[in-house]
Amino acid sequence: MKLLVLVGSTHAGGYNDRLAEIAVRELPAEVEVSRFDLSTLPFYDEVADAEGRLGASVDAFRAAVADADAILFTSPAYNGTLSAVAKNAIDVASRPRGAAPIAGKPVLIAAAVYTKGADERVIDHARLALTIAGAKPLERAFSVTEHFAAFDESGLADKDRERELQGLVADLLSPATV
């Protein structure tokens, strides 16, 4: 089983990065977890893509998405919605039309945000974009608000919420989902 982790933030060690780490740290050894640095992707350009000019990072990203059995997708909220880096990753993975590597992939959407309400917009917007791209977002998503207070040195301060997140990842990887 291969799980691809996509963090829609360029801030290494940021709240969404930490959320992703917590989500996968209890997985069984047979689950192969990989991450892709979304900051290496150029912004999607349909003409450049058609001409084959998007570059090696796009090819590597699409190959990583195609190789994954499932995806954990996290994003902060920037101006009340998902980050440009996160949206760009969806756009890149949604092409080429008819053979998009993200098509049919189960995705767990998660968000760690500062402001209450922004988490719902991040999840709704990500769900919409992922669905249009052909992915299969899980019905349930996961979020924490007031992220500055949601974490402690060992993970999420609320250990029930931490177990909930890990349970959602287990659901994402269950044979019925994949």
Side-chain angles (χ1 to χ4, degrees), residues 66-146:
D67 192 44
D69 295 306
I71 298 169
L72 170 61
F73 181 89
T74 73
S75 178
Y78 293 159
N79 294 313
T81 189
L82 70 156
S83 71
V85 171
K87 175 61 168 67
N88 186 56
I90 297 169
D91 293 342
V92 172
S94 73
R95 301 296 195 280
R97 291 188 190 276
I102 203 164
K105 300 289 178 177
V107 181
L108 172 60
I109 302 168
V113 302
Y114 182 88
T115 307
K116 290 181 181 180
D119 57 328
E120 294 169 5
R121 287 187 301 276
V122 167
I123 290 166
D124 289 347
H125 293 173
R127 182 180 311 284
L128 176 62
L130 286 161
T131 300
I132 291 170
K136 303 294 183 200
L138 294 186
E139 186 175 317
R140 290 188 58 211
F142 185 87
S143 65
V144 293
T145 58
E146 297 180 344

Side-chain angles (χ1 to χ4, degrees), residues 7-162:
V7 178
S9 171
T10 59
H11 179 87
Y15 293 109
N16 280 275
D17 201 40
R18 292 173 66 190
L19 191 65
E21 289 172 11
I22 292 163
V24 302
R25 74 174 169 205
E26 300 292 326
L27 289 174
E30 63 269 10
V31 176
E32 182 182 322
V33 178
S34 62
R35 292 177 73 142
F36 194 92
D37 181 358
L38 299 180
S39 71
T40 65
L41 295 175
F43 276 101
Y44 185 72
D45 177 325
E46 189 172 23
V47 172
D49 195 12
E51 294 173 354
R53 295 185 291 113
L54 288 182
S57 65
V58 167
D59 295 338
F61 175 65
R62 287 178 175 158
V65 171
D67 192 44
D69 295 306
I71 298 169
L72 170 61
F73 181 89
T74 73
S75 178
Y78 293 159
N79 294 313
T81 189
L82 70 156
S83 71
V85 171
K87 175 61 168 67
N88 186 56
I90 297 169
D91 293 342
V92 172
S94 73
R95 301 296 195 280
R97 291 188 190 276
I102 203 164
K105 300 289 178 177
V107 181
L108 172 60
I109 302 168
V113 302
Y114 182 88
T115 307
K116 290 181 181 180
D119 57 328
E120 294 169 5
R121 287 187 301 276
V122 167
I123 290 166
D124 289 347
H125 293 173
R127 182 180 311 284
L128 176 62
L130 286 161
T131 300
I132 291 170
K136 303 294 183 200
L138 294 186
E139 186 175 317
R140 290 188 58 211
F142 185 87
S143 65
V144 293
T145 58
E146 297 180 344
H147 56 37
F148 55 88
F151 293 85
D152 63 21
E153 60 283 341
S154 68
L156 289 176
D158 182 337
K159 297 308 175 197
D160 289 336
R161 295 289 330 276
E162 188 170 301

